[in-house]
Amino acid sequence: MMTKVLVAGLALVLAAAQAVGKSQQTDYQAVVDAAYAQFKDVDEGANADYIPILATVPSDMFGVVIVTRQGEVFSAGEMDYEFSIQSVSKPFTASLVMAQQGPAAVRTKIGVEPTGLPFNSKMALELYSARSVNPLVNAGAIAAVSLVEADSEANRWEQIHGNLSAYAGRELSVLEEVYTSEYEESWSNRAIANLLYNYGRLYSDPEETLRVYTRQCSTGINTLDLGMMGATLANQGVNPVTGKRVLDAAHVPELLAIMATAGFYDESGEWMYSAGLPAKTGVGGGIVAVVPGRFAIATFSPPLNEAGNSIRGMRAIRHIAGELGVGLYGANPSE
Ligand code: GLU
């Protein structure tokens, strides 16, 4: 009799747990679907074209995904198309530098101040004594590549590629056409690399660093990969599907803090004001936002605003954060 009651009780508890899990699932999927439907027809902004090939990516593609720290996926729209990761790669290479040398190396050898200036600013290099300023603008990201401990160019790339792949949970490839298109037009980033070198704030050969940095930015990912990379940060540095630790849990807060203050370049204040989540954007059209300890929201949509941030992506993430009330400083208004 007693056993029967216990079994019945257990069944009730299990059913209740399943119902909670299910309703949470339904909520996430419904919110993702709603954000996709609400913003898919927004027709503002333009693809980046200073990297010529990015102008040819179909502008109407749009994907939205939530990946939880348990690896559950709730998606709508484009999940397969491989776009170039561009600047969304930057926090992940900063993570590699932290993993190799500790967070103090990022603070002292790159810097952690937001610039309030565009992503490729040379003026920031002259204004701030840190020069590279923070790892999420081009100067700091190029410095981060130069800091990766490596004995050759091939080895530097191998480590950066291995780290990005570990975050995504699968072997990523470089989009060679994007690499060629970007490297051929890399005059601005070459200037930055050389200026940093001049100030003793680049730690490897400038041209070698520039090649590896451009390769990093040309790495192909789809929307789901981006969600998984963010979910690895939400899961305190462990990829939720492969179970591989990529970053010590103790260093995740520092990385998220840099994303919170500098992830949107000169729109970082506006972003934190309206969404309240650490995030990173890229000119390929990707954005990843992290709800620490819970999940990541990732989007892909190529048209950008003046600051170089994906318009549909920003709106979708802001909307989802608002609907789920997950802004770090309290529930935020949606839109
Ligand atoms: N590879 C791009 C550049 O260096 C990244 C810029 C971005 O995505 O914001 O210009």
Side-chain angles (χ1 to χ4, degrees), residues 200-222:
R201 298 289 285 175
L202 196 81
Y203 307 95
S204 307
D205 173 75
E207 197 61 29
E208 173 195 320
T209 306
L210 180 67
R211 278 193 295 269
V212 176
Y213 166 77
T214 309
R215 210 154 250 289
Q216 169 185 308
C217 292
S218 309
T219 301
I221 49 162
N222 59 36

Side-chain angles (χ1 to χ4, degrees), residues 179-201:
Y179 174 76
T180 307
S181 180
E182 181 163 353
Y183 187 63
E184 280 175 356
E185 297 294 327
S186 266
W187 307 111
S188 172
N189 285 336
R190 184 171 286 112
I192 289 173
N194 282 295
L195 272 174
L196 287 177
Y197 195 73
N198 175 57
Y199 286 123
R201 298 289 285 175

Side-chain angles (χ1 to χ4, degrees), residues 50-51 86-87 90 119 138 182 189 213 217 265 281-283:
Y50 76 97
I51 299 170
Q86 298 297 343
S87 283
K90 290 171 177 171
F119 69 97
N138 284 16
E182 181 163 353
N189 285 336
Y213 166 77
C217 292
Y265 306 121
T281 68
V283 294

Side-chain angles (χ1 to χ4, degrees), residues 269-298:
E270 160 69 24
W271 175 254
M272 279 313 272
Y273 188 83
S274 60
L277 288 177
K280 186 69 199 90
T281 68
V283 294
I287 305 183
V288 64
V290 179
V291 182
R294 293 185 61 190
F295 57 83
I297 313 166

